Amino acid sequence: MRRVAPAIGLFLLAPFVGEFLLGNLRLDELGIGLILAPMYGAGALLIREVARRTGRGWPTMVLLAIAYALMEEGPIDQLLWNDSYAGQDLLHGDSYVSALGMSVELTVAIIALHTVWSICVPIALVETITSRRTTPWLHTPGFVVVVLVYVVGAVLVFLGNYSEEHFLASPWQIGGVAVVIAALVAAAFRPCPAGPAAPANRMGEREPRAAAGGVVGEDAAAGTGLAGPAGSTGRAPAPWVVGAFGLVATSAYWGPSTLVTAGWYEWVNVVTFCVVAGVGVVVVRRWAGLVGWGQGQVFGLAAGATLTYVWTAFPTVPESGGSAAGDLVGNAVFGGIALVVLGVGVRKVGTDHH
């Protein structure tokens, strides 16, 4: 059980962050969380396992997370095209593109929340807590089981939504998104520069080779897979600085996205996302190439994003409504659980440092 504990932790943490900490589900809707766990949990676990089994790092996981976001909200639950999803029209705003039958703002929001929070944040948090950060957590039979669990979970979500919504997008809409998903997967596994062979671990996988500044290859800098610009010098900022950056950056996008509901803000929100994402990629890529970048900094980014969800959950109205008092209690409970998880991570980072 101890060997697969990180996998179980990620399987449970992904739906918790993706739905409950977001504020989308109430405290009394834990049963819905169990239904969503196979898709969220197995999806996050598959992305992490595939990346680590192939010796890759965060660039691969981020691209696969974007593909996951489009798969979940596209072919699986059809939110990208359904103008009456859960009784709401989220499409026909100022950023609606009639030729595609899609909302640019909604698509951007879906990519942001699933890529950052549903997938990458849970992976980063669990990898921080465990000591097996860049190696597989599952043997081949376990991996196959997770694949089957994800497929079953996705089918259940599709059938459940269809039974309620009775909506199916057109073949060309689904086909178009499928092409984008395939392109993202192909980009995630683009050939990488060959490096020195690493010794195999006890699961038959390759361990990242240690070097004076950490590990080398795409798992460099705590498995980030990022290389800083040529000539980068200096020392990486402390984890708390990176965490503050993560909190400010994600809040700059998701905060107004939650609080401002006016139609005119849709394109502003799209531009904000592009600016935040672009600055974030440039800054993190530079920091990851500096001496001292490690799991503490990766944890800082995830912790900052987690805190953004903690505070934005309170003004968020759950998808199924409910009383304001019940929503407040639920958000407080979920926020408390998140703080406990972050506390464990802080302690682990401190132990690693010393």
Side-chain angles (χ1 to χ4, degrees), residues 182-199:
L184 287 166
V185 174
F189 294 103
R190 67 194 184 283
C192 297

Side-chain angles (χ1 to χ4, degrees), residues 193-349:
N201 64 18
R202 63 182 181 178
M203 295 179 70
E205 305 294 338
R206 295 290 177 182
E207 293 277 10
R209 185 180 296 278
V215 293
V216 298
E218 201 184 66
D219 280 317
T224 61
L226 297 172
S232 296
T233 59
R235 189 164 187 83
W240 73 266
V241 175
V242 180
F245 173 79
L247 172 60
V248 171
T250 53
S251 293
Y253 165 68
W254 195 247
S257 180
T258 302
L259 298 172
V260 183
T261 58
W264 62 265
Y265 187 73
E266 288 195 4
W267 281 114
V268 176
N269 201 32
V270 172
V271 173
T272 302
F273 169 81
C274 293
V275 172
V276 170
V279 171
V281 169
V282 171
V283 171
V284 172
R285 183 172 180 269
R286 173 173 173 76
W287 282 349
L290 300 178
V291 175
W293 179 273
Q295 189 63 35
Q297 284 76 9
V298 175
F299 169 74
L301 286 173
T306 300
L307 292 176
T308 291
Y309 254 21
V310 169
W311 79 261
T312 56
F314 287 93
T316 298
V317 178
E319 186 175 292
S320 58
S323 69
D327 187 30
L328 179 63
V329 171
N331 290 332
V333 171
F334 300 144
I337 294 173
L339 293 178
V340 170
V341 173
L342 294 184
V344 175
V346 168
R347 183 175 181 180
K348 181 65 175 176
V349 169

Side-chain angles (χ1 to χ4, degrees), residues 4-292:
V4 298
I8 296 174
L10 179 56
F11 184 87
L12 297 175
L13 189 61
F16 169 75
V17 174
E19 290 290 342
F20 292 101
L21 193 60
L22 166 66
N24 198 42
L25 291 181
R26 304 190 310 267
L27 186 60
D28 60 352
E29 293 179 314
L30 293 176
I32 298 178
L34 293 177
I35 296 174
L36 295 175
M39 181 176 65
Y40 275 92
L45 189 52
L46 284 177
I47 289 171
R48 192 266 171 196
E49 286 295 292
V50 167
R52 295 313 189 189
R53 281 170 174 264
T54 55
R56 295 169 180 267
W58 281 102
T60 292
M61 288 191 278
V62 169
L63 289 171
L64 292 179
I66 298 173
Y68 169 91
L70 294 176
M71 175 63 75
E72 177 182 331
E73 306 294 3
I76 295 177
D77 74 5
Q78 311 276 309
L79 173 60
L80 283 176
W81 309 289
N82 188 352
D83 61 4
S84 61
Y85 188 89
Q88 302 181 66
D89 183 359
L90 302 177
L91 294 184
H92 294 98
D94 288 12
S95 66
Y96 179 72
V97 180
S98 58
L100 300 177
M102 296 171 64
S103 162
V104 177
E105 191 274 336
L106 177 62
T107 303
V108 164
I110 284 169
I111 290 174
L113 69 90
H114 285 308
T115 301
V116 176
W117 286 281
S118 299
I119 303 297
C120 292
V121 164
I123 291 174
L125 293 179
V126 178
E127 285 195 342
T128 297
I129 295 171
T130 183
S131 58
R132 293 157 50 211
R133 291 169 177 163
T134 57
T135 55
W137 295 335
L138 301 172
H139 290 294
T140 300
F143 181 81
V144 172
V145 169
V146 172
V147 171
L148 295 176
V149 169
Y150 172 74
V151 171
V152 171
V155 170
L156 288 176
V157 170
F158 171 80
L159 293 177
N161 277 325
Y162 183 74
S163 67
E164 294 180 358
E165 306 287 342
H166 300 289
F167 175 88
L168 279 178
S170 67
W172 71 265
Q173 286 176 316
I174 296 176
V177 167
V179 170
V180 174
I181 292 172
L184 287 166
V185 174
F189 294 103
R190 67 194 184 283
C192 297
N201 64 18
R202 63 182 181 178
M203 295 179 70
E205 305 294 338
R206 295 290 177 182
E207 293 277 10
R209 185 180 296 278
V215 293
V216 298
E218 201 184 66
D219 280 317
T224 61
L226 297 172
S232 296
T233 59
R235 189 164 187 83
W240 73 266
V241 175
V242 180
F245 173 79
L247 172 60
V248 171
T250 53
S251 293
Y253 165 68
W254 195 247
S257 180
T258 302
L259 298 172
V260 183
T261 58
W264 62 265
Y265 187 73
E266 288 195 4
W267 281 114
V268 176
N269 201 32
V270 172
V271 173
T272 302
F273 169 81
C274 293
V275 172
V276 170
V279 171
V281 169
V282 171
V283 171
V284 172
R285 183 172 180 269
R286 173 173 173 76
W287 282 349
L290 300 178
V291 175

